[in-house]
Amino acid sequence: MSLRLKFIAYLIIIHLLFAGVAIYLLLQNRIWLLAVEAVFVISLLIGIAIIKNFFGTIELINTGAQFLSDSDFTARFREVGQKELDQLIHIYNRMIDHLRDERIKLQEQNYFLDKIMKASPSGIITFDFDKRIAMVNPCAEQMLQSATANLLGKKLNEIQTPFTDELDELSIGEARVMNLTGRRRIKCQRSQFLDRGFTRDFILMEELTEELRQSEKTAYEKLIRLMSHEVNNSVGSANSLLHSCLLYKDQLAEDDRRDFETALSVVISRTDQLNRFMKSFADVVRLSEPHRAVCDVVQLVKGITVFMREDLARRHIKLNWEMQTPIADIALDRTQMEQVFVNVLKNAMEAIGERGVITIRTGMAAGRWFIAIEDTGSGIAPEVQSQLFTPFFSTKENGQGIGLTMVQEILDNHRFDFSLVSEPGKATQFTIWF
């Protein structure tokens, strides 16, 4: 039974007793009848007024509770001129105003935070209380190379990629630089934040590739310039002296003359080769800005493979084309990009050696055109991959370590992303994103 019904029942019982007394007095002494009836009416009116005022307060509380339950923080109550009730109304209105302001502030903060996270150049992943992915911003989506819909609700070890497996190993507060694909380096840190009194994890991922590349580039440019200056000066002076010495060959005996001339010619040849060697590195440093013109990339690559047809046939290497989606014409420097594709295709042939397959794949992914060159070689060891784009580093016996350095410089100048994915014993894939 509600409080209202209990109070009404109490009044009914009290007034029934009054009625009984009135009947008794009517039977015993009629003169008291008017007095009892007057008291009865006054009591009833007072009871009704008390009920109205008392349950008006209850109604106010119930209505306010319903507004709070419905999260309606816009409704306010007017004061009614009754001290106790007006105090309650004043407190309620202040509470509602405060809750409304807090909700608006929270909504604005969430909106602002959402905008920041979407525009952030750093990748951000947040997890729920069960360590499942709750939110991924666009940058993290690009780093994880998967759509948000395919990531939400999953644990990192359920995505099954080397990068996410390494992310899953991060402990709270730990920061680590990780390899993503090819030359990309990502600084990843795992931390926690409070949500409704409980801790939740999040991972912040910061791209370091460009920063590290610029630092490395500045270092090797300085080194190459210094070496080129010293070598050119030394070689120039040495060659001048060697050519001068050749003028004295006629003063020697016939037998000695031939050995003398041969020895000097070998030394001159080696110094010329050293000069060309240093010039090739200096050319990387002095690489000009690309002169872009619209070009059919597929036809460009096909033209290069025509010149390599004889070498492919000699090595018994088959060339496959997989055109998932035709690539639109791209603005690029044709001469420089030819150097890129020649280097990548030559590396693919050398990785295979003999009897294998090179697959050239084109298409679109994540809104960007791409062309990928994949070989069936023996793959690249992780410790070698991390140094492939470093000047002077080469896995070839007589390699100069300049090919992939030039490829990197050309693609970076074009603002084309690229990746090199390889595992020992598996296919190696070099992808360029336009």
Side-chain angles (χ1 to χ4, degrees), residues 135-410:
M135 191 281 299
V136 179
N137 74 337
C139 185
E141 182 182 27
Q142 187 269 333
M143 289 179 180
L144 296 176
Q145 297 179 343
S146 182
T148 300
N150 299 328
L151 298 170
L152 296 181
K154 290 185 178 179
K155 294 185 176 181
L156 285 174
N157 57 13
E158 293 175 352
I159 301 174
Q160 296 181 341
T161 65
F163 182 60
T164 53
D165 289 343
E166 195 171 359
L167 281 179
D168 194 40
E169 294 172 1
L170 281 175
S171 56
I172 302 300
E174 181 185 3
R176 190 188 306 173
V177 177
M178 303 180 185
N179 296 334
L180 186 55
T181 54
R183 67 192 179 109
R184 296 184 69 183
R185 303 291 181 270
I186 310 294
K187 181 183 178 183
C188 305
Q189 181 172 356
R190 193 180 195 117
S191 300
Q192 290 184 325
F193 66 99
L194 282 176
D195 180 11
R196 291 163 285 181
F198 297 93
T199 57
R200 285 173 55 186
D201 292 3
F202 73 94
I203 293 178
L204 183 65
M205 301 180 292
E206 184 181 359
E207 179 94 43
L208 297 180
T209 306
E210 185 60 23
E211 184 179 328
L212 292 173
R213 191 190 73 82
Q214 287 296 338
S215 177
E216 292 173 354
K217 182 179 178 182
T218 301
Y220 73 67
E221 281 181 354
K222 184 177 180 180
L223 175 61
I224 289 172
R225 286 194 181 99
L226 179 63
M227 289 176 61
S228 180
H229 175 75
E230 292 299 325
V231 169
N232 287 340
N233 286 346
S234 300
V235 167
S237 301
N239 270 353
S240 178
L241 288 173
L242 290 170
H243 282 289
S244 297
C245 289
L246 278 175
L247 298 176
Y248 296 100
K249 65 180 179 180
D250 294 332
Q251 299 178 19
L252 301 175
E254 182 68 28
D255 293 339
D256 295 333
R257 185 188 311 157
R258 186 180 299 110
D259 292 339
F260 178 75
E261 188 175 4
T262 301
L264 289 183
S265 297
V266 169
V267 175
I268 291 172
S269 174
R270 295 301 297 173
T271 55
D272 286 341
Q273 185 176 345
L274 180 59
N275 222 3
R276 289 193 298 272
F277 174 79
M278 286 310 305
K279 183 179 182 301
S280 64
F281 278 107
D283 287 342
V284 174
V285 176
R286 294 193 296 263
L287 195 64
S288 63
E289 285 296 314
H291 300 288
R292 296 174 182 263
V294 175
C295 176
D296 186 331
V297 180
V298 174
Q299 290 302 318
L300 174 64
V301 178
K302 285 184 176 179
I304 294 170
T305 58
V306 169
F307 294 104
M308 294 183 168
R309 189 177 297 164
E310 184 177 340
D311 199 5
L312 290 167
R314 181 174 56 81
R315 293 172 179 265
H316 303 286
I317 296 175
K318 184 180 179 183
L319 188 66
N320 282 343
W321 282 85
E322 293 183 6
M323 298 184 66
Q324 300 171 1
T325 306
I327 298 182
D329 290 347
I330 308 293
L332 49 80
D333 187 313
R334 186 184 184 94
T335 302
Q336 291 186 4
M337 288 304 294
E338 280 179 347
Q339 290 180 282
V340 169
F341 289 116
V342 166
N343 270 285
V344 174
L345 287 167
K346 279 187 175 179
N347 285 341
M349 286 192 292
E350 290 168 2
I352 293 172
E354 291 187 356
R355 302 190 183 279
V357 178
I358 294 176
T359 302
I360 301 175
R361 189 177 295 109
T362 67
M364 176 179 279
R368 294 191 297 173
W369 303 108
F370 73 87
I371 183 163
I373 298 174
E374 182 178 285
D375 66 67
T376 56
S378 56
I380 305 172
E383 59 273 15
V384 175
Q385 281 193 58
S386 61
Q387 302 184 65
L388 280 178
F389 297 94
T390 304
F392 314 116
F393 177 82
S394 177
T395 57
K396 303 169 188 175
E397 185 176 349
N398 298 314
Q400 299 176 358
I402 193 173
L404 286 178
T405 303
M406 182 171 288
V407 166
Q408 175 179 265
E409 289 299 317
I410 291 172

